[in-house]
């Protein structure tokens, strides 16, 4: 079945560590997005990519990095520069000008 | 970036009642999307709107793309307990980034 898969579902990070969240889609979608969601809040855009080897910062890109080496994959790295990384992270993908589909999310907790 | 204002922030209704929520923007969009999110899960698409003035239904859900392209509403008729969740609107302009409202948290009392 086609879909978008995020892993892991739960992730624990120690202070000062970098961690990478995986997002893979087999929908042949061009664009991919990363959002952050805090409790009781909406979705804030971190990064998005419209084509391979190209990506743009969203509203809260500081402390995060991404890559888009393959159409199917858009991993997000939460670096040690992100001072408050505990949140629910959502990845989405979409074709041109059509609706976006979301993964199941990754809950990151700093311990 | 473009801002979406979604209201109301939360709603507490009785089972069987109708629900209405809306989103407004300072910028125009080419696409309006409505999603529902259950706790700990990713949002699931409910309705997609692609043309100004478009009115689309999906079962008990009806959504409209405002004629000015700066607003959209979602109605849920005859609410049931499984309608509980957070509803988000989202707007897209061409291939630019997709922006979300802050969400409407719906509680349905049996």
């Amino acid at each position: 079945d086609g879909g978008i898969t995020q892993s892991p579902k739960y992730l624990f990070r120690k202070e000062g560590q970098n961690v990478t969240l995986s997002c893979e889609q087999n929908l042949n979608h061009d664009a991919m997005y990363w959002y952050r969601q805090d409790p009781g809040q909406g979705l804030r855009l971190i990064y998005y990519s419209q084509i391979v080897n190209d990506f743009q910062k969203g509203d809260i890109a500081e402390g995060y990095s991404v890559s888009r080496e393959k159409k199917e994959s858009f991993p997000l790295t939460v670096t040690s520069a992100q001072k408050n990384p505990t949140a629910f992270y959502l990845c989405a993908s979409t074709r041109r000008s059509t609706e976006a589909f979301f993964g199941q999310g990754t809950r990151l907790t700093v311990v | 970036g473009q801002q979406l204002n979604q209201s109301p922030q939360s709603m507490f209704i009785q089972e069987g009642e109708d629900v209405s929520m809306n989103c407004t923007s300072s910028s125009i969009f080419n696409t309006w999307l409505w999603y529902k999110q259950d706790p700990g899960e990713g949002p699931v698409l409910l309705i997609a709107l692609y043309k100004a003035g478009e009115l689309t239904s999906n079962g008990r859900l009806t959504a409209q793309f405002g004629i000015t392209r700066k607003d959209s509403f979602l109605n849920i008729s005859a609410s049931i307990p499984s309608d509980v969740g957070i509803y988000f609107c989202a707007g897209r302009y061409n291939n630019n980034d997709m922006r979300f409202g802050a969400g409407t948290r719906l509680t349905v009392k049996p």
Side-chain angles (χ1 to χ4, degrees):
Chain A
D1 283 1
I4 179 166
T5 303
Q6 287 185 245
S7 62
K9 192 167 174 64
Y10 299 97
L11 187 57
F12 297 90
R13 191 194 95 168
K14 291 183 180 179
E15 296 272 0
Q17 273 186 342
N18 292 357
V19 290
T20 298
L21 284 59
S22 170
C23 180
E24 303 274 334
Q25 54 97 1
N26 60 4
L27 300 166
N28 198 32
H29 284 174
D30 301 303
M32 297 186 75
Y33 306 79
W34 275 105
Y35 292 89
R36 171 180 170 141
Q37 187 177 29
D38 293 288
Q41 302 293 316
L43 280 65
R44 292 186 291 167
L45 183 65
I46 305 173
Y47 269 98
Y48 68 103
S49 168
Q50 295 178 12
I51 56 173
V52 173
N53 292 323
D54 187 52
F55 46 83
Q56 286 77 42
K57 293 182 179 180
D59 295 328
I60 56 166
E62 186 174 349
Y64 300 97
S65 66
V66 294
S67 63
R68 187 88 186 274
E69 296 177 2
K70 299 186 300 181
K71 189 176 186 178
E72 302 79 17
S73 178
F74 191 40
L76 173 74
T77 297
V78 184
T79 74
S80 57
Q82 172 49 243
K83 297 306 177 190
N84 185 24
T86 295
F88 190 51
Y89 290 87
L90 287 160
C91 179
S93 71
T94 178
R95 278 187 183 275
R96 288 177 173 268
S97 302
T98 63
E99 59 270 23
F101 294 93
F102 282 86
Q104 290 292 81
T106 293
R107 186 166 299 282
L108 174 63
T109 304
V110 173
V111 296
Chain B
Q2 299 159 330
Q3 298 297 316
L4 292 186
N5 297 308
Q6 184 172 351
S7 64
Q9 207 169 28
S10 60
M11 301 183 75
F12 297 84
I13 62 170
Q14 210 61 45
E15 182 177 358
E17 288 183 353
D18 297 343
V19 172
S20 184
M21 59 191 80
N22 70 82
C23 270
T24 60
S25 170
S26 56
S27 305
I28 61 173
F29 288 111
N30 283 353
T31 303
W32 280 97
L33 307 166
W34 285 93
Y35 290 86
K36 182 191 177 204
Q37 185 181 31
D38 292 322
E41 302 292 329
V44 174
L45 181 69
L46 299 174
I47 292 180
L49 302 159
Y50 299 106
K51 287 167 52 175
E54 179 181 356
L55 183 72
T56 297
S57 293
N58 179 9
R60 294 179 295 107
L61 277 59
T62 302
Q64 184 158 31
F65 193 142
I67 198 73
T68 64
R69 296 167 65 192
K70 293 184 179 182
D71 63 309
S72 177
F73 72 75
L74 174 71
N75 287 342
I76 305 173
S77 62
S79 58
I80 59 178
S82 62
D83 289 336
V84 164
I86 304 176
Y87 292 79
F88 290 101
C89 63
R92 271 186 93 181
Y93 182 75
N94 289 337
N95 295 320
N96 291 344
D97 56 270
M98 189 167 51
R99 299 298 172 131
F100 283 79
T104 296
R105 186 177 296 271
L106 179 64
T107 303
V108 179
K109 293 178 281 188

